[in-house]
């Protein structure tokens, strides 16, 4: 539970965004397969919720938490534009990948 001397270590992270079922399948494909190559390797730690790190102390699990939001498409797209993988894809000249995804999601969003 601790790191010695009464100290505690807490690792808190966010997971992969989950959308409504009719949107989620398309988003997960984008996240994993299309934009996936543009994530830095360290992103795997977030995706695994740090489960791949072998800590030298006993793990104490806490209940999962979630944040629920109702977004317009523009808010969702604004969130995605902040993601480092999206910025890396833009820098690599993959605007068409992002534009196609935006067009498909916008149509699905309704």
């Amino acid at each position: 539970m601790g790191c010695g001397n009464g100290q505690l270590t807490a690792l808190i992270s966010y997971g992969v965004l989950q959308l409504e079922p009719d949107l989620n399948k398309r988003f997960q494909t984008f996240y994993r397969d299309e934009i996936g190559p543009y994530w830095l390797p360290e992103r795997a730690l977030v995706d695994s919720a740090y489960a791949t790190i072998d800590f030298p102390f006993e793990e104490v699990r806490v209940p999962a938490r979630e944040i629920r939001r109702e977004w317009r498409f523009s808010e969702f797209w604004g969130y995605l534009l902040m993601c480092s993988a999206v910025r890396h894809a833009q820098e690599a000249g993959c605007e068409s990948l992002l534009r196609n995804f935006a067009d498909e999601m916008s149509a699905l969003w309704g």
Side-chain angles (χ1 to χ4, degrees), residues 10 24 33 40 42 44 49 55 62 64 67 74 80-82 86 108:
N24 199 50
D33 301 330
L40 294 175
E42 295 84 4
F55 291 104
V62 296
I67 298 171
S74 62
L80 280 186
L81 290 177
M82 294 187 316
V86 170
L108 289 170

Side-chain angles (χ1 to χ4, degrees), residues 6-41:
Q7 297 177 359
L8 298 176
T9 299
L11 297 176
I12 301 171
S13 182
Y14 51 89
V16 178
L17 181 68
Q18 299 290 314
L19 302 173
E20 296 296 322
D22 53 335
L23 301 169
N24 199 50
K25 182 176 179 181
R26 179 62 185 101
F27 172 73
Q28 296 304 322
T29 298
F30 172 76
Y31 178 86
R32 183 184 57 253
D33 301 330
E34 297 169 22
I35 206 76
Y38 297 97
W39 288 112
L40 294 175

Side-chain angles (χ1 to χ4, degrees), residues 92-103:
C94 296
E95 291 293 332
S96 63
L97 170 97
L98 300 172
R99 196 171 28 259
N100 291 341
F101 176 69
D103 290 347

